[in-house]
Amino acid sequence: MTVKEFYDAIGSDYNAALSRLMDDAFITKLLTKFKADQNYETLKSTLEGGDYKAAFTAAHTLKGLALNMGMDALGNAASELTEALRGDSPDGEKGKTLLPAVVAEYKKVDDALKALLG
């Protein structure tokens, strides 16, 4: 799989990502780091455990990573979840209802990463 095919597989704009991230080699390096990032797992465990402050931090970080790397669907799903958990009165129940969308988009990214990186 090429980097362009990776972006096609996740429904994102390769050219937009390329314009921000310069070249395929750099994108591949960042995607390798993304694959090792633990914020997704932290988000799931802390949200399910009721630690909404930690879940907010993980969701916010995941959102930023995804959007900066051009993984728009994952970034947007994480953004909605981030907003539900923002502030002094986070809506944990709404966050839990939004989690499946993040899980679905993350799975698409993860499957494409496996095809790209092995």
Side-chain angles (χ1 to χ4, degrees):
M1 173 179 275
T2 67
V3 173
K4 182 180 183 325
E5 290 168 336
F6 166 83
Y7 280 97
D8 290 344
I10 64 169
S12 289
D13 185 345
Y14 166 73
N15 290 321
L18 186 62
S19 72
R20 278 194 310 279
L21 302 174
M22 307 302 273
D23 61 42
D24 285 2
F26 187 60
I27 292 171
T28 301
K29 181 178 179 179
L30 293 176
L31 290 173
T32 301
K33 290 180 183 245
F34 180 85
K35 187 174 179 180
D37 183 80
Q38 292 298 306
N39 281 291
Y40 171 71
E41 293 301 328
T42 300
L43 169 61
K44 290 192 318 180
S45 65
T46 55
L47 184 60
E48 291 168 6
D51 184 350
Y52 301 134
K53 183 175 180 176
F56 167 81
T57 300
H60 190 269
T61 303
L62 181 62
K63 171 192 81 166
L65 290 170
L67 290 175
N68 282 323
M69 295 178 62
M71 296 182 256
D72 299 328
L74 175 58
N76 291 335
S79 180
E80 286 187 53
L81 181 52
T82 298
E83 292 311 310
L85 299 174
R86 185 179 297 280
D88 293 331
S89 300
D91 189 343
E93 290 309 310
K94 183 175 181 183
K96 289 176 184 177
T97 66
L98 293 170
L99 183 61
V102 174
V103 170
E105 293 304 329
Y106 189 89
K107 182 176 181 345
K108 287 181 196 174
V109 169
D110 190 52
D111 289 347
L113 284 172
K114 288 174 184 167
L116 176 66
L117 304 172

